[in-house]
Amino acid sequence: MKTIEYTNALQQALALEVPSRELSLRRDPSVSKFWNDNRKLLEAAWVEWEVENKDNLLLPDESLLDSKLRKAINDAWENPEKENVVADLWEEIIPGVYETQFFDLERLADFRKYLEDAVNSGIPKRAPYGIQLNRYGMMLDPRSEGHLAAPSFQAFYNAIMDRYMRPISRLLLGTYGYDNQTFGFSIQYNPDKDKDLHAHTDASSATLNINTNLPDEKFTGSVVDFYDKASGKTVQTKFEPGKAIIHRGNVPHATHPIESGQRSNLVVWLYGDNMQIPRGSTSSYGNISSSSIKDVALESVTARQRWSLPDGPKDTVAPF
């Protein structure tokens, strides 16, 4: 088979005619064919884009993240016995749902600028239409068609998944063994488009939802409901700039309509090989309290195991 060489891939990518929203919503076979046929070209275009704009791009890295969280994570990787410091940074909302400050508020504008530059690049990107075709969102994971393949972003994305989310979800949610694979997308809520999300659970072992609004980007509405199966209660929370919520995928949740402003988030998932997730009524351990979940996780899996990388290869399965 002849190898296709792409020269000036960026210009070729900018000239592509992207499938229409209507075709995407219908899951027309031509849509998947477009993204798969152009995958290598688009990946090459993202490389060229970063090279051409290297003097103007502030490339994302872990320095964008909250300093307390970053230090606790780094310390735990050096000595897993210090993992309780990481756990202490997360506030429990209901069993299986926790929140903390994830981004450094003083650096969040830098990250947003990078994302806006990526959007304005003109390189075709696939919207996450598996969840209502969010018009302003992007696919983030290499498993997905039309993902944000810029090398620096992918390095940052992998650091979030490998160094932060996976050990945190193992520590708080007991997901060890069901977190080899990753998935991610960005999403934006607006009063006139994509304003809410009905009650649902995620096809994940763990979901990390990170707000990327700047401190002066106010919005009203868009409150998130989390349903506690054990107590039958619904708890409401509102995303604050740079804060993250992590929860087991099987916790039912819903987003109320946004009334003004806009809310921007990164949403990333972990699950096992072939999209396996823990089974159980409230968690993989059944109807027990959150503190007991932690105890079971601590007893059955060592700290060193929690602070380790999966051995197996990455698969190519994407939920949508």
Side-chain angles (χ1 to χ4, degrees), residues 8-210:
N8 201 3
L10 181 56
Q11 291 304 314
Q12 292 184 55
L14 295 177
L16 291 173
E17 184 176 347
V18 181
S20 68
R21 178 173 180 267
E22 290 70 24
L23 288 175
S24 296
L25 285 172
R26 294 208 312 263
R27 306 294 197 274
D28 190 275
S30 64
V31 176
S32 184
K33 185 176 187 304
F34 168 85
W35 294 114
N36 288 326
D37 286 351
N38 291 293
R39 180 182 179 92
K40 294 299 183 183
L41 171 63
L42 294 172
E43 290 176 348
W46 281 114
V47 173
E48 286 188 15
W49 173 74
E50 282 203 343
V51 171
E52 287 191 9
N53 293 279
K54 63 180 184 300
D55 295 332
N56 300 316
L57 282 175
L58 194 153
L59 303 180
D61 60 29
E62 291 181 53
S63 68
L64 297 173
L65 305 183
D66 179 76
S67 59
K68 290 182 180 179
L69 178 63
R70 185 157 32 98
K71 184 181 186 307
I73 289 289
N74 288 336
D75 288 348
W77 275 105
E78 291 182 7
N79 180 2
E81 299 303 324
K82 295 182 178 180
E83 64 181 7
N84 285 341
V85 178
V86 176
D88 289 344
L89 293 175
W90 293 82
E91 179 183 354
E92 187 176 56
I93 298 174
I94 63 170
V97 181
Y98 300 81
E99 69 175 357
T100 197
Q101 189 68 38
F102 200 85
F103 273 97
D104 182 338
L105 289 180
E106 294 184 359
R107 299 295 311 283
L108 190 51
D110 294 332
F111 181 60
R112 281 286 301 278
K113 177 65 166 54
Y114 178 86
L115 291 181
E116 289 167 8
D117 287 342
V119 169
N120 294 332
S121 70
I123 300 174
K125 297 166 287 295
R126 208 208 87 180
Y129 52 73
I131 52 166
Q132 300 178 332
L133 183 59
N134 190 272
R135 294 163 180 81
Y136 303 101
M138 295 182 286
M139 307 307 294
L140 306 179
D141 197 281
R143 288 167 183 75
S144 301
E145 301 166 341
H147 69 289
L148 176 53
S152 64
F153 177 81
Q154 284 299 310
F156 180 60
Y157 172 79
N158 287 329
I160 288 177
M161 306 303 285
D162 292 340
R163 287 183 52 78
Y164 289 76
M165 184 182 180
R166 187 179 288 111
I168 289 169
S169 67
R170 289 172 175 177
L171 179 61
L172 299 180
L173 309 178
T175 58
Y176 186 85
Y178 295 92
D179 54 16
N180 289 3
Q181 310 299 336
T182 61
F183 181 64
F185 55 93
S186 65
I187 192 169
Q188 187 181 101
Y189 295 97
N190 295 273
D192 58 337
K193 297 182 180 71
D194 310 315
K195 62 182 181 180
D196 58 14
L197 198 59
H198 57 74
H200 65 287
T201 57
D202 297 334
S204 68
S205 300
T207 296
L208 181 68
N209 200 327
I210 312 167

